[in-house]
Structures are given as structure tokens and as C-alpha cells.
Amino acid sequence: MTDKGQKTLDQAYEGLEKEAPDRVARAIRWLRDPKARWIRIPLGVLFIIASMLWFLPVVGIEMLPLGLLLIAQDVPFLRKPVGRFMIWLERKWVALRHRWQRG
């Protein structure tokens, strides 16, 4: 089950990297490196806490999925549900972006 969860999480990361600007995609790839664990976990917790301050103009609820995604890299039981949620979220984002472009 862990292997399938990791595959789902990898697929979510790939979709995010594809949709993100190049500079952000490079940062995501760097954060996925096993050596970046000591940065990834506190950053994920910080993003989750920041999402609770959704009413402020700089941070918002969009920080929650990013924080969960970062933490799921190191917490096996979160990999599959977070990966599936991120894949779903990316599909919705792509559909919304296409709808805006068609105008």
C-alpha cells in the first residue's frame, strides 16, 4: 500500500511541477530530495499553520494543500489521500483555467 501511495504522491508532484512556473518547479524538485527533509517538514507545518490565517491578504487557505503535500512525503499514511486530493485539485484548476481562456 505504501508503494501505491508513493506512486500517487509522485503523480501529484509531477502534475504540480507541470503547472507551476519553472522557478517554482525547481524548488519543488529540490524539496522532494531526501536530504531536504529537515527543511520540508518545518516548511509543511508552517504552511499548514499559515493556512489558518486565511483572512490575511498574503497567506490563505491555498497553503493547506501545499503543507500537506510537503508533510505527506515523509508520513506514509498521508501519501495516498493527499496525492489523490492534489491530483483532483490540479484537474479542477486546469479545467477552470481552460474555461477562463475560452472566455
Side-chain angles (χ1 to χ4, degrees), residues 2 29 56 63 76 84-85:
T2 304
R29 281 191 294 275
L56 296 175
M63 299 287 217
R84 290 176 68 193
F85 174 68

Coordinates of all heavy atoms in Angstrom, one line a residue, residues 2 29 56 63 76 84-85:
T2 N 2.0 1.2 0.7 CA 2.9 2.4 0.7 C 3.4 2.7 -0.6 O 3.5 3.8 -1.0 CB 4.0 2.1 1.7 OG1 3.5 1.8 3.0 CG2 4.9 3.3 1.8
R29 N 11.2 20.3 -6.8 CA 12.1 19.1 -7.0 C 13.2 19.1 -6.0 O 13.5 18.1 -5.5 CB 12.7 19.2 -8.4 CG 11.8 18.7 -9.5 CD 12.5 18.5 -10.8 NE 13.0 19.8 -11.4 CZ 12.3 20.6 -12.2 NH1 11.1 20.3 -12.4 NH2 12.8 21.7 -12.6
L56 N -5.9 36.9 6.2 CA -4.9 37.9 6.0 C -4.7 37.9 4.4 O -4.8 36.9 3.7 CB -3.6 37.5 6.7 CG -3.7 37.5 8.2 CD1 -2.4 37.0 8.8 CD2 -4.0 38.9 8.7
M63 N -2.5 27.5 1.2 CA -1.3 27.0 1.8 C -1.5 25.6 2.4 O -0.6 24.8 2.6 CB -0.8 27.9 2.9 CG -0.5 29.3 2.5 SD 1.0 29.3 1.6 CE 1.7 30.8 2.1
P76 N 4.0 8.2 5.7 CA 3.4 7.2 4.7 C 1.9 7.1 4.7 O 1.4 7.0 3.6 CB 4.0 5.8 5.2 CG 5.2 6.2 6.0 CD 5.0 7.5 6.6
R84 N -4.1 11.8 -3.9 CA -5.4 11.8 -4.7 C -6.0 13.2 -4.6 O -6.6 13.7 -5.6 CB -6.3 10.7 -4.1 CG -5.7 9.4 -4.4 CD -6.6 8.3 -3.8 NE -7.9 8.2 -4.5 CZ -8.9 7.6 -4.0 NH1 -8.8 6.9 -2.9 NH2 -10.0 7.6 -4.7
F85 N -6.0 13.8 -3.5 CA -6.6 15.2 -3.3 C -5.9 16.2 -4.2 O -6.5 17.0 -4.9 CB -6.6 15.6 -1.9 CG -7.0 17.1 -1.7 CD1 -8.3 17.4 -1.9 CD2 -6.1 18.0 -1.3 CE1 -8.8 18.7 -1.7 CE2 -6.5 19.3 -1.1 CZ -7.9 19.7 -1.3

